[in-house]
Amino acid sequence: MADKNVYFFGNGKADGNSTMRQLLGGKGSNLAEMTNLGVPVPPGFTITTEVCKSYYDNNKQYPAGLQAEINENIKKMESAMGAKFSDKENPLLVSVRSGAAVSLPGMMDTVLNLGLNDVTVEGLAKKTGNERFAWDSYRRFIQMFSDVVMGVDSDQYEHAIDAMKKKRNVKLDTELSAADLKELVSEFKAIVQKSAGEMFPSDPIVQLQKSINAVFGSWNNDRAITYRKINDIRGLIGTAVNVQAMVFGNMGETSGTGVAFTRNPATGENLIYGEFLMNAQGEDVVAGVRTPETIDKLEKVMPAAYKQFMTLSDSLEKHFKEMQDMEFTIQEGKLYFLQTRTGKRTAAAALRIAVEMASEGLIDEKTAVLRIDANQLDQLLHPMFDPKAPRQVIAKGLNASPGAAVGKVVFSAEDAVHLKEMGEKTILVRVETSPEDIAGMDAAQGILTARGGATSHAAVVARGMGKCCVAGCSEINIDYKAKKFQAGSVTVKEHDFISLDGTSGEVMLGQVKTTTAELSGNFSLLMKWTDKYKRLKVRTNGDTPKDAETARKFGAEGIGLCRTEHMFFEGNRIEAVREMILADDKAGREKALAKLLPMQKGDFLAIFKAMEGYPVTIRLLDPPLHEFLPTKESDIEALSKDMGVSVDKLKKRVSALHEFNPMLGHRGCRLGITFPEIYDMQVKAIIQAAIEIKQSGKDIIPEIMIPLVGHVKELSILKENAIKIIDAEMAAAKVKLEYMIGTMIEVPRAAITADEIAKEAEFFSFGTNDLTQMTCGFSRDDSGSFLPEYVDKGIYERDPFQALDQTGVGEMMKIAIEKGRKVRPKIKLGICGEHGGEPSSVEFCHSIGLDYVSCSPFRVPIARLVAAQAVLKEQK
């Protein structure tokens, strides 16, 4: 525990600094750092994250002496501001905000204007000479406090405000008079009493205590938990609470508030990007209730404040050596910074910012590589709209977060989640989003809002998620009750398809065709840097020449898994496969397999050519034979007619091949043992293709993988068969060829007896999909019914089919590596399950000394990046 629970900042000096992020949270540590740098920051204090942990560990009881520390720091704040808490003549008002070590934008609670009551509001009016401002601040405080602290539905207040504006025949909140706002305060208090069953608290000390409770309580609200889960944020002990003197942007036309980024968070362009509102408080900007002005227009409105802001924002970026997200307030012409933090950004922006900061000398290459979130990189590699495709644009809003999104329209977060569970893609359409919508925003392909700007909740959260977002689209009129929206003369109903272009801000009717994204020069440069530092090779899982070509474009250094069974479904070859399965004897099977041989050879030849001499690991037939036969009555009858085989014979064969648990049955090497002619054909096709490549003057070293080996004798029998075929083919062609024969480690017994298997195998490739199934005892196809609950309850940190179970399956891998290398020190070791492209799993593979990882083509750059980051983290 820290030696104190509360840390002060103010008057150019702070108790903390930016290195104390875990204790003071991101907001608190940066407020302290800014204060020490001389940036104009309103004074305040931070209650540590350790207090939050203690609060939850001790049945919501605070550490002894906390209130005394708070009282002492209130006095320091009063001294710094020249005002007093609870004073009826010169009241000090404060904000209460959360701030964890990792930014959770909008996920936890905030209270502004705390300290107002019927007495202090009069003092504030007298002190400022602005009665309207005082009562506006009071009504805002009641609305926010009762929502956050007392659980009163905030919509009731909005209805009251709308009714008052209608009554006074005005459109904007700012057009309401002091008398109107005074009347609203009375109405708001009545709403509190009716909804909460108690009066609104008037004692500022009680208000502060309750607000601190609420902020700590919000650490475990649904939206904060969901956000941490979606973003895989772990290991935090809680949030800090920041209590800070209020400065006011709603004191008239010489006051304002805004949010800005030192670089464009959507594109990464090195230009200030942000918005502001005059005569407003910060919540007005981010909530999207009023449409703000772009930050460049501040230069005309308040040139001195704009010049100071630009100078300070530039110095903050240079100090933190990172793009900053800043909140500021101008009170009667004086500029204050309320927050700075590392700005959330799209993948394209992250890439550009990292590369350009390195070229500017602000950071080095290694830091640039470490800056990129590997999961976010995925956003750059997927389709965008085809520029040639026809599109019917029905509306246009702000291009808040780039990308292409196509889906069915839904109007609630719950519907987005529900449809995703059914395998549907959706676009979440809202007037404006709020933190409660977080799960639906995650489930949707994109977000469309009628209100809000480029720094609204929808925009900021969407960019952080890498979701396409069009915000502030005032051209659409949403009717939640009827579940439709109007865009000009076009009516779009629930579950109609729309397409969003987050780069242009366009909303289009229907499903617009997408195309593969073009990768920028920054991407190529970053990948060159990753290859400079990584040790792990990165291969791809690919079954076709197209897969191989795509993966090569992304920098794959070979194929780590070519699944030959996928080729059996190509064109009319399934007929030959079925003929082989239905044959009565070996001669019949060999006759059918002879038809497949040239087809398989052609497949391997095309893949070898696409891989340009890089290694290619080809897995011999793995799935059970029943997967190639129909099971429906109508399909069996159709096949009977096509093949000239009786329905009765077909049914008997299907029945004979039926297995209660086929994934643990007659598949993999077991097929090769019982039907050796199948593997003989495949080995022959592989070697004939490799010989042809060799004869063309190019090199290829085919790696033949025998799947599902659990006992060394399985491998030794099949290896001997393969060598006979290979020797015969090389002798016939008079070509000497290098090749390797190895196995996939996917059966626990193979891992445990890896020392025996390594005597025969020249390489191990860990098939972690099946190894996870068999080690954990989970069926990959059925575990979806309970694994999410296991993750929720913390039994597994993440779904073990998505992120490698390092303490279970990972330990099995370590055993196999140690035993294998003891017998064959130079054995080649890789992983070919889809875990090979998942960042935490790739880092684990680096740490246990694998030679390569293999993953789907689009995840190759992710694996390359993580492989480099793993080396750089070790160096640090």
Side-chain angles (χ1 to χ4, degrees):
M1 284 284 288
D3 58 353
K4 58 182 180 178
N5 297 308
V6 183
Y7 287 70
F8 184 76
F9 55 88
N11 286 342
K13 188 177 179 183
D15 296 341
N17 57 56
S18 61
T19 66
M20 301 169 71
R21 191 178 191 86
Q22 293 301 321
L23 182 67
L24 302 180
K27 191 188 297 287
S29 62
N30 281 353
L31 284 168
E33 188 78 4
M34 283 196 292
T35 301
N36 290 330
L37 290 171
V39 175
V41 173
F45 57 86
T46 301
I47 306 171
T48 69
T49 57
E50 289 181 347
V51 174
C52 184
K53 183 176 187 302
S54 174
Y55 177 76
Y56 282 103
D57 288 348
N58 295 289
N59 198 26
K60 300 191 175 180
Q61 297 297 310
Y62 289 116
L66 177 65
Q67 190 59 50
E69 285 189 64
I70 290 172
N71 294 340
E72 179 188 335
N73 280 275
I74 288 174
K75 287 178 183 174
K76 289 182 183 178
M77 203 169 19
E78 289 173 335
S79 175
M81 288 297 288
K84 284 189 175 292
F85 206 49
S86 307
D87 191 84
K88 63 183 181 181
E89 300 291 335
N90 186 20
L92 170 69
L93 304 186
V94 301
S95 64
V96 182
R97 290 183 170 97
S98 64
V102 175
S103 175
L104 311 171
M107 294 304 114
M108 291 181 293
D109 293 326
T110 295
V111 178
L112 302 179
N113 305 320
L114 189 146
L116 283 172
N117 56 32
D118 292 350
V119 176
T120 57
V121 71
E122 298 288 359
L124 183 65
K126 187 177 178 182
K127 175 187 172 185
T128 60
N130 190 335
E131 188 182 20
R132 189 198 177 282
F133 153 72
W135 285 96
D136 183 45
S137 299
Y138 195 13
R139 69 93 184 166
R140 288 169 181 269
F141 171 53
I142 295 171
Q143 183 172 354
M144 190 175 283
F145 181 94
S146 62
D147 174 22
V148 167
V149 178
M150 305 174 78
V152 178
D153 182 2
S154 191
D155 284 348
Q156 297 178 77
Y157 302 114
E158 293 299 327
H159 294 321
I161 294 168
D162 288 342
M164 179 63 76
K165 287 191 288 190
K166 196 171 183 182
K167 186 175 170 183
R168 299 289 184 256
N169 195 28
V170 297
K171 288 185 176 180
L172 301 173
D173 297 1
T174 51
E175 295 175 281
L176 294 173
S177 69
D180 297 333
L181 294 164
K182 202 170 188 177
E183 191 177 324
L184 277 174
V185 165
S186 294
E187 288 183 37
F188 282 14
K189 285 183 186 174
I191 289 170
V192 172
Q193 182 130 23
K194 184 178 178 183
S195 299
E198 60 179 298
M199 292 182 68
F200 188 83
S202 60
D203 183 346
I205 294 294
V206 173
Q207 293 171 357
L208 180 58
Q209 289 170 339
K210 286 181 176 288
S211 296
I212 291 169
N213 290 348
V215 174
F216 279 138
S218 71
W219 174 249
N220 278 335
N221 69 25
D222 288 343
R223 63 180 184 264
I225 291 169
T226 300
Y227 187 89
R228 293 198 294 272
K229 187 183 296 183
I230 289 168
N231 292 279
D232 196 30
I233 296 169
R234 305 172 187 279
L236 301 182
I237 62 173
T239 182
V241 174
N242 299 285
V243 179
Q244 190 173 17
M246 284 294 300
V247 287
F248 299 97
N250 59 330
M251 290 184 72
E253 292 309 314
T254 60
S255 302
T257 187
V259 176
F261 298 81
T262 54
R263 303 193 187 212
N264 189 311
T267 67
E269 186 180 10
N270 190 4
L271 285 175
I272 201 82
Y273 178 94
E275 298 169 323
F276 74 98
L277 280 170
M278 298 308 293
N279 196 20
Q281 287 199 320
E283 291 302 303
D284 296 340
V285 178
V286 296
V289 176
R290 286 164 60 191
T291 301
E293 299 283 351
T294 55
I295 195 74
D296 57 296
K297 291 181 181 173
L298 183 62
E299 185 174 16
K300 289 184 180 178
V301 180
M302 304 202 75
Y306 176 78
K307 184 179 179 182
Q308 185 188 12
F309 170 77
M310 293 296 287
T311 300
L312 288 171
S313 62
D314 184 57
S315 68
L316 284 171
E317 180 176 278
K318 284 183 167 63
H319 176 76
F320 287 105
K321 301 184 187 301
E322 178 60 291
M323 185 260 271
Q324 295 298 292
D325 168 3
M326 304 158 295
E327 292 179 18
F328 64 93
T329 289
I330 301 166
Q331 178 176 296
E332 297 183 312
K334 185 174 181 182
L335 174 70
Y336 294 91
F337 275 72
L338 307 183
Q339 169 173 285
T340 192
R341 61 187 174 190
T342 297
K344 292 196 176 295
R345 66 209 75 177
T346 63
L351 179 61
R352 180 172 176 177
I353 290 168
V355 170
E356 289 188 358
M357 280 188 170
S359 67
E360 292 161 16
L362 200 59
I363 58 176
D364 60 21
E365 269 181 23
K366 293 180 179 180
T367 303
V369 170
L370 287 166
R371 279 272 168 92
I372 305 297
D373 179 350
N375 285 310
Q376 202 182 24
L377 198 63
D378 200 32
Q379 297 169 29
L380 297 177
L381 309 174
H382 288 283
M384 56 191 230
F385 288 126
D386 184 343
K388 297 175 185 174
R391 53 175 75 188
Q392 182 185 348
V393 178
I394 58 172
K396 189 167 183 179
L398 293 171
N399 53 339
S401 185
V406 180
K408 291 182 176 180
V409 167
V410 293
F411 294 96
S412 73
E414 293 78 13
D415 285 346
V417 171
H418 175 63
L419 261 67
K420 183 184 180 185
E421 289 170 351
M422 296 171 64
E424 300 276 8
K425 293 182 177 179
T426 62
I427 304 290
L428 178 62
V429 180
R430 302 286 292 163
V431 173
E432 60 199 27
T433 62
S434 70
E436 281 74 19
D437 294 319
I438 184 70
M441 295 174 77
D442 179 56
Q445 301 299 302
I447 297 107
L448 170 64
T449 65
R451 293 206 298 233
T455 54
S456 64
H457 175 268
V460 171
V461 174
R463 281 196 296 269
M465 289 179 166
K467 299 278 181 181
C468 169
C469 177
V470 174
C473 188
S474 56
E475 297 174 25
I476 67 170
N477 184 22
I478 300 170
D479 185 339
Y480 285 142
K481 192 172 181 182
K483 294 189 175 181
K484 65 180 183 180
F485 74 81
Q486 198 78 23
S489 61
V490 177
T491 301
V492 180
K493 298 176 183 175
E494 181 183 44
H495 296 173
D496 286 350
F497 276 99
I498 62 169
S499 301
L500 300 183
D501 190 332
T503 304
S504 68
E506 291 176 329
V507 181
M508 295 154 283
L509 194 63
Q511 303 177 70
V512 178
K513 185 181 175 186
T514 57
T515 186
T516 304
E518 291 295 323
L519 299 174
S520 70
N522 288 333
F523 179 88
S524 299
L525 185 54
L526 179 77
M527 288 295 106
K528 280 182 184 174
W529 292 346
T530 65
D531 292 343
K532 189 188 294 187
Y533 300 114
K534 72 180 179 65
R535 179 191 61 76
L536 269 177
K537 299 283 187 185
V538 178
R539 299 192 191 183
T540 190
N541 298 339
D543 313 325
T544 67
K546 185 180 177 183
D547 289 343
E549 287 161 11
T550 302
R552 284 290 303 119
K553 185 177 76 171
F554 289 141
E557 300 162 284
I559 289 180
L561 175 63
C562 175
R563 293 157 288 212
T564 55
E565 61 272 6
H566 289 187
M567 302 168 179
F568 283 15
F569 289 96
E570 294 280 326
N572 61 356
R573 60 185 76 182
I574 187 65
E575 296 171 9
V577 175
R578 286 170 170 172
E579 182 185 334
M580 181 268 295
I581 294 169
L582 295 170
D584 294 319
D585 53 28
K586 183 178 179 181
R589 286 192 293 276
E590 287 180 336
K591 182 183 173 186
L593 288 165
K595 297 177 184 177
L596 283 171
L597 177 61
M599 300 175 191
Q600 285 264 272
K601 178 188 170 184
D603 294 328
F604 301 137
L605 194 57
I607 287 171
F608 289 154
K609 285 177 180 176
M611 268 294 123
E612 301 174 348
Y614 280 101
V616 176
T617 304
I618 299 170
R619 183 177 72 184
L620 303 183
L621 187 64
D622 184 44
L625 295 179
H626 79 273
E627 289 193 6
F628 300 100
L629 292 177
T631 53
K632 286 184 183 176
E633 186 83 24
S634 57
D635 292 340
I636 289 174
E637 288 173 1
L639 181 60
S640 167
K641 189 181 289 185
D642 288 344
M643 297 194 68
V645 176
S646 71
V647 170
D648 185 54
K649 181 176 180 178
L650 259 178
K651 284 183 176 178
K652 282 181 179 175
R653 192 70 180 125
V654 169
S655 176
L657 291 172
H658 171 76
E659 295 180 88
F660 287 104
N661 194 341
M663 294 312 292
L664 296 179
H666 193 185
R667 55 170 282 222
C669 64
R670 299 155 197 171
L671 280 173
I673 295 288
T674 52
F675 301 115
E677 54 274 10
I678 298 176
Y679 279 12
D680 288 352
M681 179 277 291
Q682 292 192 296
V683 170
K684 188 178 290 188
I686 292 166
I687 296 304
Q688 286 181 358
I691 286 171
E692 195 165 320
I693 292 289
K694 182 83 171 178
Q695 288 171 330
S696 71
K698 295 179 181 177
D699 277 329
I700 187 73
I701 302 175
E703 299 175 354
I704 299 168
M705 182 198 287
I706 296 170
L708 213 72
V709 165
H711 196 293
V712 67
K713 289 181 181 177
E714 292 170 318
L715 181 57
S716 60
I717 290 168
L718 294 172
K719 181 181 177 183
E720 187 180 340
N721 291 350
I723 289 172
K724 285 178 186 173
I725 299 285
I726 294 166
D727 287 346
E729 290 298 323
M730 288 195 298
K734 297 180 181 175
V735 170
K736 189 69 178 169
L737 195 68
E738 281 189 67
Y739 64 90
M740 298 176 75
I741 296 176
T743 188
M744 186 183 279
I745 303 290
E746 53 195 324
V747 176
R749 191 182 191 281
I752 298 297
T753 62
D755 48 348
E756 294 178 12
I757 292 173
K759 293 172 185 174
E760 297 285 352
E762 294 169 279
F763 66 86
F764 288 167
S765 179
F766 290 96
T768 49
N769 299 340
D770 268 347
L771 190 58
T772 298
Q773 277 198 122
M774 296 191 210
T775 301
C776 297
F778 297 151
S779 164
R780 189 173 45 196
D781 300 317
D782 302 319
S783 58
S785 61
F786 62 86
L787 270 181
E789 192 169 342
Y790 267 46
V791 174
D792 285 343
K793 290 181 175 174
I795 297 171
Y796 283 88
E797 275 199 11
R798 293 179 63 189
D799 183 333
F801 290 111
Q802 293 177 6
L804 192 67
D805 166 34
Q806 296 179 18
T807 55
V809 177
E811 284 300 310
M812 197 71 73
M813 293 170 69
K814 286 182 187 177
I815 291 168
I817 291 166
E818 185 184 348
K819 288 193 166 192
R821 282 201 169 128
K822 204 172 275 184
V823 172
R824 193 186 289 265
K826 293 188 177 179
I827 189 169
K828 187 182 283 190
L829 301 169
I831 178 176
C832 61
E834 198 52 31
H835 296 101
E838 191 281 318
S840 67
S841 307
V842 174
E843 194 166 342
F844 177 75
C845 290
H846 167 86
S847 72
I848 61 175
L850 294 191
D851 297 307
Y852 70 86
V853 294
S854 186
C855 55
S856 60
F858 281 96
R859 295 187 74 82
V860 166
I862 297 170
R864 289 167 71 191
L865 176 62
V866 177
Q869 289 175 340
V871 172
L872 296 176
K873 285 176 186 177
E874 283 180 348
Q875 290 177 0
K876 287 182 82 173

